[in-house]
Amino acid sequence: MRWGLYVEEPGWLHAVDARTKWVFFSLGATAPFLLADPRYTGSALAASVAVAVTAGAGRNLLRLWWLYVLFVALTVLVWAVVLPGRGASGAEGVWFGLGAGLKVVAGMCVGLVFLSCTTAEEMSRGLVGLGVPFRFAFVIAMALRLVPTVVSTALDIIDAQRSRGLDLESGGLIRRARAHVPLLAPMLLSTLRGADQLSMALECRALGARRRRTWLMASELGWRDVAVMGGVVAYFGLAVALRIAGCGVWSAPGR
Amino acid sequence: MSLGAPCVAQAEGLGFRYATSSHQAHGREWALDGVDLAVGRGERVALLGPSGAGKSTLCRCFNGLIPHAVRGELAGRMVVDGVDTRSRKVAELAEHAGLVFQDFEAQLFCPTVELEVAFGPENLGLPRDEIRRRVRDALDTLELGALASRSIHALSGGQKQRLAVAAVLALRPALLCLDEASSDLDADGRDRLACAAENLARDGRAVVVADHQAESAGGHDQTVLLARGHVAWSSAEPAPAEVLCRMGLEPGPMARIASLLRLKTGGADMDPARVASAIRDAGYVVRRVDPPPSPPACGEPVVTVQGLSHSYGPVRALEDAHLVVGRGEVVAVVGRNGGGKSTLLRHLNGLIRPAPGRVCVCGLDVALAPTREICSKVAYVAQNPDHQLFAETVFDDVAFGPRALGRNADDTARHVHEALEAVGLVGREREDPITLSKGDRQRVALAGALAQRPEVLVLDEPTTGLDPIEVRATMELLRRLSRSGVAVVIVTHAMWVVAEYAHRAVVLAQGRVQADGTVREILGRERVLEDAGLRAPTVVRIASELGISALSVDELVSALTPAVTP
């Protein structure tokens, strides 16, 4: 069973250069944060969802929809409580919370599309292409690659301990927290051993042997890159323009 | 090293002592001590020895991981391809010596086969055309050319292992070292890896294969036997059974046959037809054709699986599987990597709830019964013991199961003591399980399962990473348990373990049960085994060449008698 987000079936975003994907992610995920009104952040979210579906990341979106709904609900709840204390009404708190929740989820959606369409190798190649030192780029890509491995190991450990009668589901909060102790030591140990082995395997494959590194895959910008970059720059520009014009920006009384 | 062959690797008085706590199993003793060794160009070396003999330590010396990446004290020197390993970084030595570890998953970090192989040459800063050429050559050598654009997640275990080798090979090292690289592979995967090693040697590279037994190391020109960090035997001839026994090591089946029947092959020949012919030439004839009587019938069914299917997303892992296991029975589930074996096992204790299909264990319907109730009947030992060891002492770790199942302190202490006695760890209750050797950690994990007092014991690859003596100790223990009425279900690739210790074998391929019968029946069905990527143990195949049925060396030898000359 795999726990990574990368989607094998190629979509339109898969086909573009790694540098374009980074630009798409950077501008696409930042744009919703320039806005606050839920009508505008909601539109940004709708655009992100449309991009996700057409780029082939729809299945990942379905896997994580509960997380997004939970996040929006919690944000609304927090602002509905916090904002009235600063002179705004409860309804204004809900409205502001909704705007904040939707913009974060819109940004997360773009991140999800990026992870669904970009391999770890492309991430480091793209960053290097944008001028980031290779070692730094490689560490970021490796960290992202390790997430599904760690999740998979955690699930194996949970299974091994459940087989010995570990009950993670019953009892109060403290009892449940204590029940997780048998999972921590094997997790820590497996992660450390895995990291140790990974670092040795990387050295065995000549990582850092030369100052200059080359790439099998050529980085070339084509018409698709121009189209994607043009689209995402226009999207970001629109968000900037709306913010400057004061549209989509909403402040609660007293802020 | 054969005379006249130029030297690729040379160890002179090589010694190493680990410094870190993670190697406490080695204590502060020398893991390697005064090793002198020469490996020639185009030579295949089988580096053999039991767990803790120093095989992995020596492998890590070849490519400079020792002393650069592993802390400790190095004595003597290792020269590979004319370079003293102390004088260069590991990454710089990668062009001279390549190392493939046992855990191949940890060595793959790129999304596709092609990019994985290109990773090394890219790090060397080679021009794109040269990278492309090396990728193509390495993939062709390992018969992976057709999979170049495939995602590594879509590969089988055997393909991933060969990919790990190809990735190292693309660096064009003068010496390639495989450290127990085939232990997780099915017969098919091992064959392809052995074939690749042969091609490399023909190509002028030196290949060192570290393993527990000569049989699993494949064909080789030189045998180097390590024992307690010393070279105990180094010759073109395999170590005779007497030498191995004198050092407290278990001889492999070929060495035992050669020794018991005094064959001239001396255990070097691995081909069943030639060994059978050598047995005939030595003047032996078949005394008995009928196999020994079958073991007594097992008790009433305690595990019943009916029409079980399971999918991981779009991938079908099990399809309409059926299985019955009787009380006191040892059933081996065998098949190719990714054939659905582990998925079947995980249904038996409710880790996966059956749907569709039905699984009943000791009268409990696994789909409906609470996990705790199932765990009181079925104990599961995961493939990796490190996934379940967490407590500060062996006692507390073994006691976790009984405590979680609500047993009182007296019962828990008694069950823990009995379990530790069964696995031979009495007196080590206060030790930290994490610092034990792999074999001992496996025994602690097994003791944890035994302390649950199960009626059914389920083990996923319990012999992986253990040397033959440890494997035998584990399997003897399971045999004793089965005689006391515990049903044992194991998944394993070690077909000799199946032959000698299981009552029944179930062959799984592509999620379907292809065959289910007594071990003797199943091992006699070559076609079924072949289709499932399996092969009967060498002893069974030699016996078959002689026209008899034998599951072990003892059975084979007892069926033969010297011809009476008039």
Side-chain angles (χ1 to χ4, degrees), chain A residues 2 8 142 145 159 161-164 193 203-207 210 213-216, chain B residues 63 95 107-109 116 119 122-123 126 128 151 153 346 349 375 386 388 397:
Chain A
R2 286 187 53 221
E8 308 283 354
M142 270 296 113
R145 176 206 170 266
D159 278 356
Q161 302 295 31
R162 275 179 57 211
S163 306
R164 304 169 76 194
R193 280 196 175 138
E203 285 198 81
C204 291
R205 300 272 293 282
L207 182 70
R210 302 280 190 278
R213 192 182 194 274
T214 48
W215 303 87
L216 173 66
Chain B
N63 76 334
E95 285 181 277
Q107 298 164 76
L108 305 177
F109 10 81
E116 191 66 58
F119 183 80
E122 286 175 339
N123 288 330
L126 298 172
R128 188 165 293 141
S151 158
H153 300 296
R346 291 153 73 89
N349 70 339
C375 290
D386 297 336
Q388 65 182 69
D397 219 297

mmCIF file of all heavy atoms in Angstrom, chain A residues 2 8 142 145 159 161-164 193 203-207 210 213-216, chain B residues 63 95 107-109 116 119 122-123 126 128 151 153 346 349 375 386 388 397:
data_model
loop_
_atom_site.group_PDB
_atom_site.id
_atom_site.type_symbol
_atom_site.label_atom_id
_atom_site.label_comp_id
_atom_site.label_asym_id
_atom_site.label_seq_id
_atom_site.Cartn_x
_atom_site.Cartn_y
_atom_site.Cartn_z
ATOM 1 N N ARG A 2 0.569 2.225 -0.884
ATOM 2 C CA ARG A 2 1.386 3.429 -0.960
ATOM 3 C C ARG A 2 0.681 4.607 -0.309
ATOM 4 O O ARG A 2 -0.521 4.750 -0.385
ATOM 5 C CB ARG A 2 1.666 3.755 -2.426
ATOM 6 C CG ARG A 2 2.671 2.831 -3.056
ATOM 7 C CD ARG A 2 3.010 3.343 -4.428
ATOM 8 N NE ARG A 2 3.407 4.728 -4.343
ATOM 9 C CZ ARG A 2 3.029 5.641 -5.235
ATOM 10 N NH1 ARG A 2 2.270 5.333 -6.229
ATOM 11 N NH2 ARG A 2 3.425 6.892 -5.107
ATOM 12 N N GLU A 8 0.575 8.860 -10.860
ATOM 13 C CA GLU A 8 1.355 8.348 -11.996
ATOM 14 C C GLU A 8 0.785 8.793 -13.353
ATOM 15 O O GLU A 8 1.541 9.094 -14.269
ATOM 16 C CB GLU A 8 1.379 6.806 -11.973
ATOM 17 C CG GLU A 8 1.804 6.196 -10.653
ATOM 18 C CD GLU A 8 3.287 6.259 -10.427
ATOM 19 O OE1 GLU A 8 4.003 6.670 -11.343
ATOM 20 O OE2 GLU A 8 3.735 5.922 -9.308
ATOM 21 N N MET A 142 14.071 15.215 -0.544
ATOM 22 C CA MET A 142 14.176 13.976 0.237
ATOM 23 C C MET A 142 13.199 13.983 1.408
ATOM 24 O O MET A 142 12.569 12.981 1.722
ATOM 25 C CB MET A 142 15.595 13.835 0.794
ATOM 26 C CG MET A 142 16.538 13.102 -0.101
ATOM 27 S SD MET A 142 16.085 11.392 -0.354
ATOM 28 C CE MET A 142 15.673 11.389 -2.053
ATOM 29 N N ARG A 145 9.936 13.145 0.167
ATOM 30 C CA ARG A 145 9.863 11.737 -0.227
ATOM 31 C C ARG A 145 9.696 10.830 0.995
ATOM 32 O O ARG A 145 9.064 9.788 0.942
ATOM 33 C CB ARG A 145 11.143 11.353 -0.976
ATOM 34 C CG ARG A 145 11.210 9.903 -1.348
ATOM 35 C CD ARG A 145 12.641 9.433 -1.492
ATOM 36 N NE ARG A 145 12.725 7.991 -1.623
ATOM 37 C CZ ARG A 145 12.917 7.162 -0.602
ATOM 38 N NH1 ARG A 145 13.035 7.627 0.616
ATOM 39 N NH2 ARG A 145 12.983 5.858 -0.799
ATOM 40 N N ASP A 159 -0.004 -1.828 13.384
ATOM 41 C CA ASP A 159 -0.517 -3.189 13.167
ATOM 42 C C ASP A 159 0.180 -4.194 14.076
ATOM 43 O O ASP A 159 -0.472 -5.063 14.672
ATOM 44 C CB ASP A 159 -0.295 -3.606 11.701
ATOM 45 C CG ASP A 159 -1.374 -3.068 10.789
ATOM 46 O OD1 ASP A 159 -2.318 -2.450 11.313
ATOM 47 O OD2 ASP A 159 -1.271 -3.255 9.568
ATOM 48 N N GLN A 161 1.608 -3.696 16.939
ATOM 49 C CA GLN A 161 1.218 -3.533 18.347
ATOM 50 C C GLN A 161 -0.247 -3.887 18.573
ATOM 51 O O GLN A 161 -0.598 -4.409 19.627
ATOM 52 C CB GLN A 161 1.505 -2.094 18.837
ATOM 53 C CG GLN A 161 2.960 -1.659 18.702
ATOM 54 C CD GLN A 161 3.915 -2.453 19.590
ATOM 55 O OE1 GLN A 161 3.699 -3.622 19.885
ATOM 56 N NE2 GLN A 161 5.003 -1.838 20.000
ATOM 57 N N ARG A 162 -1.089 -3.605 17.597
ATOM 58 C CA ARG A 162 -2.501 -4.023 17.728
ATOM 59 C C ARG A 162 -2.602 -5.530 17.835
ATOM 60 O O ARG A 162 -3.457 -6.061 18.531
ATOM 61 C CB ARG A 162 -3.309 -3.524 16.524
ATOM 62 C CG ARG A 162 -3.811 -2.082 16.680
ATOM 63 C CD ARG A 162 -4.566 -1.647 15.448
ATOM 64 N NE ARG A 162 -5.685 -2.518 15.151
ATOM 65 C CZ ARG A 162 -6.133 -2.770 13.924
ATOM 66 N NH1 ARG A 162 -5.552 -2.215 12.891
ATOM 67 N NH2 ARG A 162 -7.153 -3.558 13.726
ATOM 68 N N SER A 163 -1.689 -6.224 17.141
ATOM 69 C CA SER A 163 -1.695 -7.692 17.190
ATOM 70 C C SER A 163 -1.374 -8.205 18.580
ATOM 71 O O SER A 163 -1.621 -9.357 18.893
ATOM 72 C CB SER A 163 -0.647 -8.259 16.239
ATOM 73 O OG SER A 163 -0.833 -7.764 14.968
ATOM 74 N N ARG A 164 -0.763 -7.354 19.392
ATOM 75 C CA ARG A 164 -0.426 -7.760 20.757
ATOM 76 C C ARG A 164 -1.467 -7.248 21.747
ATOM 77 O O ARG A 164 -1.239 -7.236 22.954
ATOM 78 C CB ARG A 164 0.952 -7.222 21.131
ATOM 79 C CG ARG A 164 2.036 -7.643 20.159
ATOM 80 C CD ARG A 164 3.313 -6.905 20.400
ATOM 81 N NE ARG A 164 4.035 -7.407 21.555
ATOM 82 C CZ ARG A 164 5.042 -6.792 22.146
ATOM 83 N NH1 ARG A 164 5.443 -5.629 21.689
ATOM 84 N NH2 ARG A 164 5.646 -7.308 23.178
ATOM 85 N N ARG A 193 17.049 4.550 12.028
ATOM 86 C CA ARG A 193 17.743 3.528 11.236
ATOM 87 C C ARG A 193 17.561 3.799 9.745
ATOM 88 O O ARG A 193 18.488 3.666 8.959
ATOM 89 C CB ARG A 193 17.200 2.137 11.571
ATOM 90 C CG ARG A 193 17.783 1.598 12.855
ATOM 91 C CD ARG A 193 17.571 0.102 12.985
ATOM 92 N NE ARG A 193 18.258 -0.373 14.187
ATOM 93 C CZ ARG A 193 17.774 -1.236 15.042
ATOM 94 N NH1 ARG A 193 16.602 -1.773 14.839
ATOM 95 N NH2 ARG A 193 18.457 -1.612 16.089
ATOM 96 N N GLU A 203 25.520 8.225 -0.178
ATOM 97 C CA GLU A 203 26.976 8.325 -0.369
ATOM 98 C C GLU A 203 27.476 7.242 -1.309
ATOM 99 O O GLU A 203 28.358 7.477 -2.134
ATOM 100 C CB GLU A 203 27.674 8.219 0.983
ATOM 101 C CG GLU A 203 27.535 9.484 1.810
ATOM 102 C CD GLU A 203 28.573 9.532 2.906
ATOM 103 O OE1 GLU A 203 29.709 9.901 2.607
ATOM 104 O OE2 GLU A 203 28.230 9.187 4.051
ATOM 105 N N CYS A 204 26.900 6.036 -1.165
ATOM 106 C CA CYS A 204 27.308 4.922 -2.040
ATOM 107 C C CYS A 204 26.975 5.226 -3.498
ATOM 108 O O CYS A 204 27.525 4.603 -4.399
ATOM 109 C CB CYS A 204 26.597 3.630 -1.645
ATOM 110 S SG CYS A 204 27.115 2.989 -0.078
ATOM 111 N N ARG A 205 26.041 6.150 -3.713
ATOM 112 C CA ARG A 205 25.659 6.503 -5.083
ATOM 113 C C ARG A 205 26.325 7.810 -5.502
ATOM 114 O O ARG A 205 25.815 8.527 -6.365
ATOM 115 C CB ARG A 205 24.139 6.595 -5.183
ATOM 116 C CG ARG A 205 23.432 5.281 -4.820
ATOM 117 C CD ARG A 205 23.262 4.368 -6.000
ATOM 118 N NE ARG A 205 22.352 4.970 -6.932
ATOM 119 C CZ ARG A 205 21.027 4.969 -6.768
ATOM 120 N NH1 ARG A 205 20.496 4.352 -5.734
ATOM 121 N NH2 ARG A 205 20.248 5.540 -7.646
ATOM 122 N N ALA A 206 27.440 8.123 -4.850
ATOM 123 C CA ALA A 206 28.320 9.223 -5.259
ATOM 124 C C ALA A 206 27.737 10.615 -5.041
ATOM 125 O O ALA A 206 28.205 11.570 -5.674
ATOM 126 C CB ALA A 206 28.743 9.050 -6.726
ATOM 127 N N LEU A 207 26.753 10.740 -4.153
ATOM 128 C CA LEU A 207 26.213 12.083 -3.883
ATOM 129 C C LEU A 207 27.306 12.953 -3.253
ATOM 130 O O LEU A 207 27.850 12.607 -2.208
ATOM 131 C CB LEU A 207 25.000 11.996 -2.948
ATOM 132 C CG LEU A 207 24.335 13.338 -2.652
ATOM 133 C CD1 LEU A 207 23.627 13.883 -3.882
ATOM 134 C CD2 LEU A 207 23.348 13.228 -1.503
ATOM 135 N N ARG A 210 31.304 15.172 -6.833
ATOM 136 C CA ARG A 210 31.820 16.262 -7.680
ATOM 137 C C ARG A 210 31.134 17.577 -7.292
ATOM 138 O O ARG A 210 30.017 17.566 -6.787
ATOM 139 C CB ARG A 210 31.510 15.985 -9.161
ATOM 140 C CG ARG A 210 32.062 14.681 -9.682
ATOM 141 C CD ARG A 210 33.542 14.782 -10.035
ATOM 142 N NE ARG A 210 33.954 13.591 -10.750
ATOM 143 C CZ ARG A 210 34.289 12.437 -10.158
ATOM 144 N NH1 ARG A 210 34.247 12.326 -8.852
ATOM 145 N NH2 ARG A 210 34.661 11.388 -10.892
ATOM 146 N N ARG A 213 27.072 18.967 -10.789
ATOM 147 C CA ARG A 213 26.213 17.813 -11.052
ATOM 148 C C ARG A 213 25.519 18.026 -12.389
ATOM 149 O O ARG A 213 25.221 19.156 -12.771
ATOM 150 C CB ARG A 213 25.161 17.714 -9.943
ATOM 151 C CG ARG A 213 24.395 16.407 -9.946
ATOM 152 C CD ARG A 213 23.352 16.437 -8.852
ATOM 153 N NE ARG A 213 22.824 15.096 -8.601
ATOM 154 C CZ ARG A 213 21.837 14.553 -9.265
ATOM 155 N NH1 ARG A 213 21.245 15.240 -10.227
ATOM 156 N NH2 ARG A 213 21.410 13.343 -8.992
ATOM 157 N N THR A 214 25.272 16.916 -13.091
ATOM 158 C CA THR A 214 24.534 17.028 -14.354
ATOM 159 C C THR A 214 23.201 16.301 -14.213
ATOM 160 O O THR A 214 22.951 15.637 -13.209
ATOM 161 C CB THR A 214 25.344 16.406 -15.503
ATOM 162 O OG1 THR A 214 25.806 15.129 -15.087
ATOM 163 C CG2 THR A 214 26.525 17.273 -15.882
ATOM 164 N N TRP A 215 22.357 16.413 -15.228
ATOM 165 C CA TRP A 215 21.022 15.805 -15.176
ATOM 166 C C TRP A 215 20.756 15.027 -16.451
ATOM 167 O O TRP A 215 21.120 15.474 -17.535
ATOM 168 C CB TRP A 215 19.942 16.890 -15.039
ATOM 169 C CG TRP A 215 20.130 17.765 -13.842
ATOM 170 C CD1 TRP A 215 20.885 18.890 -13.764
ATOM 171 C CD2 TRP A 215 19.582 17.564 -12.535
ATOM 172 N NE1 TRP A 215 20.851 19.420 -12.499
ATOM 173 C CE2 TRP A 215 20.036 18.622 -11.721
ATOM 174 C CE3 TRP A 215 18.737 16.613 -11.961
ATOM 175 C CZ2 TRP A 215 19.691 18.753 -10.383
ATOM 176 C CZ3 TRP A 215 18.387 16.734 -10.631
ATOM 177 C CH2 TRP A 215 18.863 17.788 -9.866
ATOM 178 N N LEU A 216 20.117 13.884 -16.280
ATOM 179 C CA LEU A 216 19.728 13.102 -17.453
ATOM 180 C C LEU A 216 18.628 13.826 -18.224
ATOM 181 O O LEU A 216 18.652 13.919 -19.447
ATOM 182 C CB LEU A 216 19.234 11.709 -17.023
ATOM 183 C CG LEU A 216 18.636 10.839 -18.117
ATOM 184 C CD1 LEU A 216 19.694 10.439 -19.146
ATOM 185 C CD2 LEU A 216 17.998 9.582 -17.537
ATOM 186 N N ASN B 63 33.864 -0.262 0.331
ATOM 187 C CA ASN B 63 33.562 1.013 -0.329
ATOM 188 C C ASN B 63 33.777 2.217 0.588
ATOM 189 O O ASN B 63 33.280 3.306 0.309
ATOM 190 C CB ASN B 63 32.138 1.012 -0.895
ATOM 191 C CG ASN B 63 31.088 1.186 0.162
ATOM 192 O OD1 ASN B 63 31.314 0.848 1.313
ATOM 193 N ND2 ASN B 63 29.939 1.722 -0.216
ATOM 194 N N GLU B 95 33.036 5.062 -7.535
ATOM 195 C CA GLU B 95 33.445 4.604 -8.866
ATOM 196 C C GLU B 95 34.353 3.376 -8.793
ATOM 197 O O GLU B 95 34.588 2.728 -9.803
ATOM 198 C CB GLU B 95 34.201 5.719 -9.582
ATOM 199 C CG GLU B 95 33.319 6.826 -10.092
ATOM 200 C CD GLU B 95 34.151 7.879 -10.797
ATOM 201 O OE1 GLU B 95 34.703 8.740 -10.097
ATOM 202 O OE2 GLU B 95 34.246 7.819 -12.023
ATOM 203 N N GLN B 107 17.279 1.986 -0.629
ATOM 204 C CA GLN B 107 18.307 2.460 -1.563
ATOM 205 C C GLN B 107 17.719 3.074 -2.819
ATOM 206 O O GLN B 107 18.443 3.430 -3.734
ATOM 207 C CB GLN B 107 19.204 1.286 -1.974
ATOM 208 C CG GLN B 107 19.939 0.696 -0.807
ATOM 209 C CD GLN B 107 20.506 -0.656 -1.134
ATOM 210 O OE1 GLN B 107 21.501 -0.758 -1.826
ATOM 211 N NE2 GLN B 107 19.877 -1.699 -0.658
ATOM 212 N N LEU B 108 16.394 3.121 -2.885
ATOM 213 C CA LEU B 108 15.755 3.674 -4.080
ATOM 214 C C LEU B 108 15.091 4.987 -3.703
ATOM 215 O O LEU B 108 14.257 5.020 -2.805
ATOM 216 C CB LEU B 108 14.718 2.681 -4.628
ATOM 217 C CG LEU B 108 15.237 1.271 -4.921
ATOM 218 C CD1 LEU B 108 14.118 0.356 -5.378
ATOM 219 C CD2 LEU B 108 16.343 1.301 -5.966
ATOM 220 N N PHE B 109 15.470 6.071 -4.382
ATOM 221 C CA PHE B 109 14.884 7.362 -3.995
ATOM 222 C C PHE B 109 14.329 8.155 -5.162
ATOM 223 O O PHE B 109 13.917 9.281 -5.006
ATOM 224 C CB PHE B 109 15.874 8.244 -3.222
ATOM 225 C CG PHE B 109 17.282 7.758 -3.193
ATOM 226 C CD1 PHE B 109 18.135 7.965 -4.248
ATOM 227 C CD2 PHE B 109 17.732 7.077 -2.079
ATOM 228 C CE1 PHE B 109 19.437 7.502 -4.199
ATOM 229 C CE2 PHE B 109 19.027 6.609 -2.028
ATOM 230 C CZ PHE B 109 19.887 6.817 -3.084
ATOM 231 N N GLU B 116 16.408 6.497 -11.454
ATOM 232 C CA GLU B 116 17.116 5.862 -10.335
ATOM 233 C C GLU B 116 18.528 5.467 -10.761
ATOM 234 O O GLU B 116 19.504 5.711 -10.046
ATOM 235 C CB GLU B 116 16.329 4.615 -9.896
ATOM 236 C CG GLU B 116 16.795 4.012 -8.591
ATOM 237 C CD GLU B 116 16.558 4.931 -7.414
ATOM 238 O OE1 GLU B 116 15.406 5.303 -7.184
ATOM 239 O OE2 GLU B 116 17.547 5.295 -6.745
ATOM 240 N N PHE B 119 20.893 8.456 -11.303
ATOM 241 C CA PHE B 119 21.251 9.280 -10.148
ATOM 242 C C PHE B 119 22.764 9.295 -9.874
ATOM 243 O O PHE B 119 23.360 10.356 -9.648
ATOM 244 C CB PHE B 119 20.484 8.780 -8.911
ATOM 245 C CG PHE B 119 20.703 9.591 -7.678
ATOM 246 C CD1 PHE B 119 20.024 10.781 -7.480
ATOM 247 C CD2 PHE B 119 21.598 9.173 -6.700
ATOM 248 C CE1 PHE B 119 20.223 11.529 -6.327
ATOM 249 C CE2 PHE B 119 21.812 9.914 -5.550
ATOM 250 C CZ PHE B 119 21.117 11.095 -5.370
ATOM 251 N N GLU B 122 24.777 11.047 -12.671
ATOM 252 C CA GLU B 122 24.497 12.492 -12.572
ATOM 253 C C GLU B 122 25.386 13.121 -11.502
ATOM 254 O O GLU B 122 25.924 14.213 -11.674
ATOM 255 C CB GLU B 122 23.024 12.726 -12.219
ATOM 256 C CG GLU B 122 22.054 12.467 -13.363
ATOM 257 C CD GLU B 122 20.593 12.580 -12.943
ATOM 258 O OE1 GLU B 122 20.291 12.469 -11.731
ATOM 259 O OE2 GLU B 122 19.747 12.757 -13.818
ATOM 260 N N ASN B 123 25.524 12.402 -10.370
ATOM 261 C CA ASN B 123 26.362 12.927 -9.285
ATOM 262 C C ASN B 123 27.826 13.025 -9.698
ATOM 263 O O ASN B 123 28.582 13.811 -9.128
ATOM 264 C CB ASN B 123 26.242 12.033 -8.052
ATOM 265 C CG ASN B 123 24.895 12.197 -7.373
ATOM 266 O OD1 ASN B 123 24.302 13.269 -7.424
ATOM 267 N ND2 ASN B 123 24.396 11.140 -6.772
ATOM 268 N N LEU B 126 28.662 13.598 -15.217
ATOM 269 C CA LEU B 126 28.955 13.107 -16.565
ATOM 270 C C LEU B 126 28.064 13.798 -17.602
ATOM 271 O O LEU B 126 26.955 14.241 -17.280
ATOM 272 C CB LEU B 126 28.714 11.588 -16.621
ATOM 273 C CG LEU B 126 29.598 10.745 -15.707
ATOM 274 C CD1 LEU B 126 29.133 9.294 -15.720
ATOM 275 C CD2 LEU B 126 31.053 10.834 -16.144
ATOM 276 N N ARG B 128 25.365 14.246 -20.611
ATOM 277 C CA ARG B 128 24.056 13.581 -20.736
ATOM 278 C C ARG B 128 24.130 12.304 -21.589
ATOM 279 O O ARG B 128 23.531 11.297 -21.240
ATOM 280 C CB ARG B 128 23.048 14.570 -21.317
ATOM 281 C CG ARG B 128 21.635 14.049 -21.305
ATOM 282 C CD ARG B 128 20.631 15.139 -21.543
ATOM 283 N NE ARG B 128 20.631 16.056 -20.405
ATOM 284 C CZ ARG B 128 20.504 17.373 -20.517
ATOM 285 N NH1 ARG B 128 20.385 17.920 -21.695
ATOM 286 N NH2 ARG B 128 20.502 18.143 -19.448
ATOM 287 N N SER B 151 7.406 3.448 -13.022
ATOM 288 C CA SER B 151 7.557 3.969 -11.663
ATOM 289 C C SER B 151 8.141 2.869 -10.778
ATOM 290 O O SER B 151 7.785 1.698 -10.920
ATOM 291 C CB SER B 151 6.183 4.374 -11.127
ATOM 292 O OG SER B 151 6.200 4.398 -9.723
ATOM 293 N N HIS B 153 7.467 2.284 -7.850
ATOM 294 C CA HIS B 153 6.406 1.707 -7.007
ATOM 295 C C HIS B 153 5.674 0.572 -7.712
ATOM 296 O O HIS B 153 4.988 -0.216 -7.078
ATOM 297 C CB HIS B 153 5.408 2.782 -6.598
ATOM 298 C CG HIS B 153 6.046 3.876 -5.815
ATOM 299 N ND1 HIS B 153 6.614 3.676 -4.579
ATOM 300 C CD2 HIS B 153 6.249 5.185 -6.100
ATOM 301 C CE1 HIS B 153 7.123 4.809 -4.148
ATOM 302 N NE2 HIS B 153 6.920 5.736 -5.044
ATOM 303 N N ARG B 346 -2.597 -11.169 7.370
ATOM 304 C CA ARG B 346 -3.135 -10.053 8.143
ATOM 305 C C ARG B 346 -4.642 -10.153 8.343
ATOM 306 O O ARG B 346 -5.207 -9.442 9.174
ATOM 307 C CB ARG B 346 -2.755 -8.721 7.481
ATOM 308 C CG ARG B 346 -1.264 -8.444 7.583
ATOM 309 C CD ARG B 346 -0.800 -7.581 6.447
ATOM 310 N NE ARG B 346 -1.252 -6.223 6.603
ATOM 311 C CZ ARG B 346 -0.591 -5.275 7.245
ATOM 312 N NH1 ARG B 346 0.570 -5.555 7.765
ATOM 313 N NH2 ARG B 346 -1.061 -4.066 7.341
ATOM 314 N N ASN B 349 -5.719 -12.336 11.968
ATOM 315 C CA ASN B 349 -5.882 -11.780 13.321
ATOM 316 C C ASN B 349 -6.619 -10.442 13.310
ATOM 317 O O ASN B 349 -6.510 -9.663 14.241
ATOM 318 C CB ASN B 349 -4.521 -11.643 14.021
ATOM 319 C CG ASN B 349 -3.682 -10.563 13.418
ATOM 320 O OD1 ASN B 349 -3.916 -10.179 12.282
ATOM 321 N ND2 ASN B 349 -2.721 -10.062 14.166
ATOM 322 N N CYS B 375 -6.972 -11.334 19.460
ATOM 323 C CA CYS B 375 -5.559 -11.393 19.870
ATOM 324 C C CYS B 375 -5.317 -12.426 20.965
ATOM 325 O O CYS B 375 -4.200 -12.907 21.129
ATOM 326 C CB CYS B 375 -5.089 -10.028 20.371
ATOM 327 S SG CYS B 375 -4.962 -8.843 19.051
ATOM 328 N N ASP B 386 11.692 -5.114 14.902
ATOM 329 C CA ASP B 386 11.851 -3.762 15.452
ATOM 330 C C ASP B 386 10.548 -2.981 15.460
ATOM 331 O O ASP B 386 10.446 -1.940 16.097
ATOM 332 C CB ASP B 386 12.912 -2.991 14.656
ATOM 333 C CG ASP B 386 14.270 -3.663 14.774
ATOM 334 O OD1 ASP B 386 14.465 -4.387 15.770
ATOM 335 O OD2 ASP B 386 15.100 -3.493 13.885
ATOM 336 N N GLN B 388 7.887 -4.002 16.799
ATOM 337 C CA GLN B 388 7.094 -4.240 17.993
ATOM 338 C C GLN B 388 7.872 -4.121 19.302
ATOM 339 O O GLN B 388 7.276 -4.155 20.359
ATOM 340 C CB GLN B 388 6.380 -5.586 17.905
ATOM 341 C CG GLN B 388 7.271 -6.798 17.879
ATOM 342 C CD GLN B 388 6.438 -8.064 17.737
ATOM 343 O OE1 GLN B 388 5.855 -8.304 16.696
ATOM 344 N NE2 GLN B 388 6.356 -8.836 18.806
ATOM 345 N N ASP B 397 8.811 -6.026 27.570
ATOM 346 C CA ASP B 397 8.356 -6.140 26.185
ATOM 347 C C ASP B 397 7.526 -7.395 25.979
ATOM 348 O O ASP B 397 6.452 -7.363 25.368
ATOM 349 C CB ASP B 397 9.560 -6.136 25.233
ATOM 350 C CG ASP B 397 9.255 -5.346 23.990
ATOM 351 O OD1 ASP B 397 8.345 -5.774 23.277
ATOM 352 O OD2 ASP B 397 9.871 -4.302 23.761
#
